[in-house]
Amino acid sequence: MSLRSEAPLVKICGLSTPDTLEAAITAGADQIGLVFFPKSPRHVSLEQARALADQARGRAAIVGLTVDATDGAIDAIMEAVRPDWLQLHGSETPERVAAVKQRAGVFVMKAVGLATAADLAAAEPYAQVTDRILFDAKPPKDAALPGGNGVAFDWTILKPIDEPFMLSGGLSPDNVAEAVRISGAAAVDVSSGVETEPGRKDAALIAAFVHAARCR
């Protein structure tokens, strides 16, 4: 298997322990994601996140994932964790995204849920106010979480997009190479696809995912 000429950026999201974070960095992940959403099994406290961020700093970019966070919550994350990116994974409006970006002074990515090609229109208003769009699968109607549900969507609907984007939703070591080939994604994001149970990451699956993402 040969390496791609332009291997996609890889983000491992929902890390919560020093061992699995170390596994992600050792495997070559470009970004590590820390989840600040109490309903998620991947949620970390500010104290946990501070220690994990210190472990990763200078070795991988640190992403703080929030869901409709208040200004106070954003400020607390920035002060304690000092992430390189904020990932907004709720129902934030373009105006809210712009306000968060200005307030935090870091890169911001916005998650947009997709099920059909018609859903792509929802991403357009964010193009001018975010540093990256993350396309994720729309959560099932009864889902408690906006992401990390292990659900995929039809990657072919992303083919017409010219701007670099991140792909998420139902990715795993078994399908990420095909997902990149079909969608043309410049970056990929995984959470549940490298877990043995919700919230429990597996070092071997992380390594397999990074390798698969970067090889034909």
Side-chain angles (χ1 to χ4, degrees):
M1 300 176 78
S2 61
L3 290 177
R4 298 178 187 277
S5 56
E6 294 185 8
L9 179 150
V10 177
K11 173 172 168 276
I12 308 297
C13 197
L15 293 160
S16 59
T17 68
D19 288 348
T20 54
L21 186 143
E22 195 64 33
I25 294 175
T26 300
D30 302 285
Q31 296 184 333
I32 60 97
L34 306 175
V35 174
F36 301 96
F37 186 52
K39 291 182 179 180
S40 172
R42 305 163 187 99
H43 171 72
V44 289
S45 67
L46 290 176
E47 183 177 352
Q48 286 176 294
R50 181 190 288 112
L52 292 169
D54 287 345
Q55 180 182 344
R57 202 171 314 280
R59 306 169 69 200
I62 301 158
V63 182
L65 185 155
T66 67
V67 180
D68 298 316
T70 63
D71 285 349
I74 295 292
D75 292 346
I77 292 168
M78 294 307 304
E79 181 178 357
V81 184
R82 295 185 293 124
D84 303 293
W85 286 76
L86 286 175
Q87 178 177 330
L88 308 185
H89 218 104
S91 57
E92 300 89 356
T93 64
E95 292 75 20
R96 177 58 179 162
V97 172
V100 169
K101 180 173 172 60
Q102 182 176 16
R103 186 179 191 89
V106 295
F107 296 113
V108 172
M109 70 175 82
K110 177 69 178 85
V112 176
L114 300 181
T116 69
D119 295 322
L120 287 173
E124 294 177 7
Y126 295 99
Q128 302 304 315
V129 296
T130 189
D131 297 289
R132 176 177 295 146
I133 298 291
L134 182 150
F135 290 113
D136 197 358
K138 275 190 173 180
K141 291 183 179 181
D142 59 347
L145 305 176
N149 294 297
V151 178
F153 61 94
D154 181 2
W155 303 314
T156 62
I157 66 179
L158 298 173
K159 282 186 175 181
I161 300 176
D162 294 325
E163 296 298 320
F165 60 87
M166 179 171 275
L167 175 63
S168 188
L171 298 181
S172 71
D174 294 331
N175 67 11
V176 64
E178 181 183 13
V180 171
R181 178 182 61 80
I182 291 174
S183 68
V188 290
D189 176 41
V190 67
S191 187
S192 62
V194 291
E195 293 179 344
T196 54
E197 61 183 78
R200 187 181 292 276
K201 295 290 188 290
D202 181 86
L205 290 175
I206 290 171
F209 184 88
V210 176
H211 177 76
R214 293 188 171 142
C215 296
R216 298 187 185 277

